[in-house]
Amino acid sequence: MHPAKSVIFFTTASGAGYGLLIWLAVLVLPGWLPADRLFGFATFALALGLITGGLLSSTFHLGHPERAWRAMSQWRTSWLSREGVAALVTYVPAGLFGIAWVFFGTNTGAALVIGLVSAVMAFVTVYCTAMIYASLKTIRAWNNIWTRIAYVAFSLMTGAVLMHALARLFGFQHLNDLGGLALVTIALGTFVKREYWRFIDTTRSHSTAETATGLGDLGKVRLLEAPHTEVNYLMTEMGFKIARKHAAKLRNMVWAAAFGVPFILTAAAVAMSGAGATALSLLAVLSAGIGIVIERWLFFAEAQHVVTLYYGESTA
Amino acid sequence: MTDLPKSTGKKLGLVIDLDICVGCHACAVNCKEWNTSGHMAPLTDLLPYGEEPSGVWFNRIHSFEVVDENSGDSRTVHFPKSCLHCDDAPCVTVCPTGASYKREEDGIVLVNADTCIGCKLCSWACPYGAREYDEDAGVMKKCTLCVDKIYNENLPPESRVPACVSTCPVAARHFGDLGDPNSDVSRLVEARGGYALMPEQDCAPVNRYLPPRPRKNGSDDEMIRAPRMLEYKDTSDDGAGLLARWVDRILSS
């Protein structure tokens, strides 16, 4: 599948933003986040900025961005529509929670209840994003349980790594707890990505060139002549293919940048303290960000669509 | 709404005979000709005379080689493919705007170009590659089953079939109501063992393909084997002239 830059930016940025939004409410429960107004302002601004930037970016790949509002209407059948609705709805409790925190200096009681609603809606939105891909039967690499888990896991992971760095910038008390949380989510993310790649490396689609043409009874089917001499939309959009050797290298880059380096930097930040630890936690954010962007690029580039069976592939 | 209709009055669709398709691409050309000024017009071409021309086509003809791995015998099958107007069309249900819809009266799957946002998700959901994006118009386009031709009362009744059907020089394409078990197309499917493409994708396509008949060349069965040149001997003397019969007798002795 063709990896569109706008969609990669959308899913990674809004994923991190929603992750941050989830932790903003959930971490108030154990008392790890004080109702610091400046911290509240910075964190809500970052979370909502990532979400809004991502959503706007996602409209850039549309043929008609000015009609994007229409995408809210088909929530009964379309996961893309459900995601749009969930994303819009999330702004309401998130905005109210942010106002209570930043302008009234409170993040407990009624404010926290609204905050938890915002966290639930953020979670629902990320799940809807995952389902846009996971619901497509045509793409084996997406139509599986690991796609759903991965989107949620990486949202929580990037949110936690961001939260850890922000809290260090503001010098809170529970820094090591937040660092520990980041480490747990990175470990979880590593496990999920390993299982995802194991799944797509060891399964094949039920569809083959034989089922695509229905000619399997006669023998092995091979494309003799394509319908035309030039590439068409189907081949550039659905037939985008990455060379196996590049995929292997890029996977290693994901292991290092998305998981390995952030884990080591976060662990080092927990072990030390002060300005050095803050710098390390910020570097962890940078590394995880780069790593997750490569991960998302591969998520598209490694996914094979069954329509390629009509264009010379024998399996999908 | 992009809910699919619970049932459709008719199931209009195509039956494509792979036994007799000669791969001439006339269906694709006439489809382009009709539809570029039809319901989904235009079927944009980009750089049509440039080095890398591309454009929107609703119908494409693939040619496959099928090799029987036991006998090593191979055959060429020309394979036209257009929208299959599925009963459980995933391209309709994934549409976030309702631009993609399936008609309740006849089952034709269409796109409303005025409300399509060009998100391309429908083309991802379709296993058959039936949808093509028009870069220029920024909307998705697809086979309309010539909805502007099959109901067109300005045309003589025999012309009220999709352009690909009316143009096929070998009558490899048939059009009709596949929901009616007594229709000509349904009986043809029944008689010839017509099948659906990729049933495992659970789209319940309406279009059917008729398999190539068992081949005659290469068969061990004398009864169905077509004559081959090496085995051919002219043993008859019907119609031969007096001179030819005399020469034949001299040479045969």
Side-chain angles (χ1 to χ4, degrees), chain A residues 7 10 16 30-31 50 63 66 80 100 108 199 215 222 249 265 282 303:
Chain A
V7 176
F10 157 60
L50 283 168
E66 79 283 4
L80 178 52
T108 51
F199 176 86
L215 298 171
R222 183 179 75 89
K249 271 185 199 161
L265 291 175
L282 285 168

Side-chain angles (χ1 to χ4, degrees), chain A residues 170-208:
Chain A
F170 284 83
F172 291 155
Q173 281 184 340
H174 293 273
L175 296 176
N176 288 347
D177 293 329
L178 291 167
L181 175 75
L183 291 175
V184 169
T185 59
I186 295 169
L188 177 73
T190 313
F191 170 75
V192 170
K193 199 68 212 180
R194 196 188 67 162
E195 291 304 309
Y196 172 83
W197 274 328
R198 180 178 294 176
F199 176 86
I200 69 167
D201 288 345
T202 55
T203 55
R204 300 311 295 168
S205 169
H206 294 305
S207 297
T208 60

Side-chain angles (χ1 to χ4, degrees), chain A residues 60-202:
Chain A
F60 292 155
H61 91 288
L62 300 178
H64 283 276
E66 79 283 4
R67 298 178 185 166
W69 59 272
R70 291 185 183 277
M72 304 292 153
S73 62
Q74 306 302 313
W75 46 269
R76 289 198 303 192
T77 63
S78 167
W79 282 103
L80 178 52
S81 192
R82 286 171 196 163
E83 190 225 26
V85 172
L88 269 199
V89 170
T90 307
Y91 277 108
V92 177
L96 290 174
F97 187 40
I99 288 167
W101 191 318
V102 176
F103 295 101
F104 298 96
T106 173
N107 61 7
T108 51
L112 181 57
V113 173
I114 297 170
L116 290 172
V117 172
S118 145
V120 169
M121 281 313 300
F123 186 92
V124 168
T125 309
V126 173
Y127 184 76
C128 289
T129 309
M131 285 307 292
I132 294 172
Y133 305 101
S135 66
L136 299 175
K137 265 187 196 160
T138 46
I139 302 160
R140 174 186 53 90
W142 295 355
N143 187 221
N144 61 71
I145 185 77
W146 294 107
T147 299
R148 305 184 207 183
I149 298 173
Y151 268 83
V152 173
F154 298 146
S155 171
L156 293 177
M157 182 188 101
T158 45
V161 172
L162 267 177
M163 183 61 90
H164 176 230
L166 282 164
R168 287 213 179 260
L169 277 174
F170 284 83
F172 291 155
Q173 281 184 340
H174 293 273
L175 296 176
N176 288 347
D177 293 329
L178 291 167
L181 175 75
L183 291 175
V184 169
T185 59
I186 295 169
L188 177 73
T190 313
F191 170 75
V192 170
K193 199 68 212 180
R194 196 188 67 162
E195 291 304 309
Y196 172 83
W197 274 328
R198 180 178 294 176
F199 176 86
I200 69 167
D201 288 345
T202 55

Side-chain angles (χ1 to χ4, degrees), chain A residues 11 27 63 74 90 119 130 139 176 192 230 242 246 255 257 272 277 280:
Chain A
T11 56
L27 295 181
Q74 306 302 313
T90 307
I139 302 160
N176 288 347
V192 170
E230 308 299 318
I242 174 173
H246 294 313
W255 285 131
M272 55 197 280
L280 290 180

